[in-house]
Amino acid sequence: MSEFWMYFNIGLKHVLDINAYDHVLFLIALMVPYAFKDWKNVFVLVSLFTLGHTLALLLSVYGVVQIKASLVEFLIPITILITAVFHLFTAGKSSKNESITFVAIVTLFFGIIHGLGFSNYFKTILPGNASDKLLPLLEFALGIEAAQIIVVLVVLIISYVVQTFFRFSKRDWALVMSAFIIGVVLPMIIESEIWNR
């Protein structure tokens, strides 16, 4: 049982690490247009992200996929930027239900990108045999899912407070938060190592 908590905690800390805030930024960008009443869509998106993240780790740990770390570190802020820009341009539009399929596919893909970003470190902490890797990977995935649900709940609570007590419209909230995320993520892209080739 202690091994479960070890890998579960690694998953929690992977998302909630203040120094690695890219995961939280992505979740904020993803959740901007949603409210508590959209809990089914929110849960599906968070779970799809975890599924993509876990799939990427699985493929990497078993040596099926290998990708340059510098490319992945460049793609992670790109995924955040695309999500924020998408919600910036769709803020206040009623076609949110129609675009959930697009957002779901993109979220799964972005989960894969983010999982590849963590794969090198994760491979160093896993036991040696192939049969010993699956259970820790699933325990880690549960930690990621739990941490993401925590982040999403915090974002939805803040969104509710801002829209209810400070009278922000849903559209204005989406515009402000998307613009803020774009402002944070652009320097990450500009300062990426990929430009130093």
Side-chain angles (χ1 to χ4, degrees):
M1 193 62 157
S2 63
E3 273 194 28
F4 169 81
W5 287 114
M6 181 180 82
Y7 289 110
F8 183 85
N9 267 337
I10 292 170
L12 272 176
K13 290 177 183 173
H14 172 60
V15 174
L16 300 177
D17 182 4
I18 195 74
N19 297 317
Y21 54 89
D22 58 329
H23 209 122
V24 172
L25 271 180
F26 177 77
L27 288 170
I28 294 169
L30 189 62
M31 291 299 113
V32 158
Y34 298 103
F36 283 109
K37 67 181 171 78
D38 304 311
W39 69 269
K40 289 179 186 173
N41 287 344
V42 167
F43 183 74
V44 166
L45 291 174
V46 168
S47 297
L48 281 172
F49 188 85
T50 303
L51 178 67
H53 200 281
T54 305
L55 178 64
L57 285 175
L58 188 68
L59 294 175
S60 179
V61 163
Y62 285 99
V64 177
V65 173
Q66 292 180 346
I67 191 166
K68 284 184 174 183
S70 62
L71 178 60
V72 173
E73 293 304 319
F74 173 71
L75 288 175
I76 287 173
I78 293 290
T79 64
I80 300 166
L81 178 68
I82 290 169
T83 306
V85 167
F86 176 77
H87 289 308
L88 184 72
F89 286 107
T90 59
K93 300 209 167 113
S94 61
S95 63
K96 182 181 66 180
N97 290 334
E98 296 166 13
S99 66
I100 187 68
T101 305
F102 169 76
V103 174
I105 291 166
V106 170
T107 301
L108 179 65
F109 175 73
F110 291 174
I112 292 170
I113 297 296
H114 286 245
L116 290 173
F118 191 67
S119 64
N120 287 334
Y121 171 73
F122 195 70
K123 284 190 275 189
T124 64
I125 62 171
L126 277 181
N129 295 332
S131 60
D132 295 336
K133 295 179 180 183
L134 189 58
L135 189 58
L137 186 61
L138 295 176
E139 293 163 348
F140 174 78
L142 285 174
I144 289 218
E145 184 77 359
Q148 290 185 148
I149 289 171
I150 291 168
V151 170
V152 165
L153 283 174
V154 169
V155 170
L156 291 177
I157 289 168
I158 292 170
S159 173
Y160 176 80
V161 167
V162 167
Q163 292 178 49
T164 304
F165 298 110
F166 295 105
R167 304 276 189 221
F168 266 61
S169 70
K170 194 172 189 176
R171 178 184 171 275
D172 289 347
W173 168 253
L175 288 173
V176 168
M177 289 308 296
S178 296
F180 169 76
I181 291 164
I182 291 167
V184 171
V185 94
L186 278 176
M188 294 167 67
I189 295 168
I190 292 167
E191 295 166 8
S192 175
E193 290 179 19
I194 206 160
W195 307 115
N196 298 330
R197 288 187 171 191

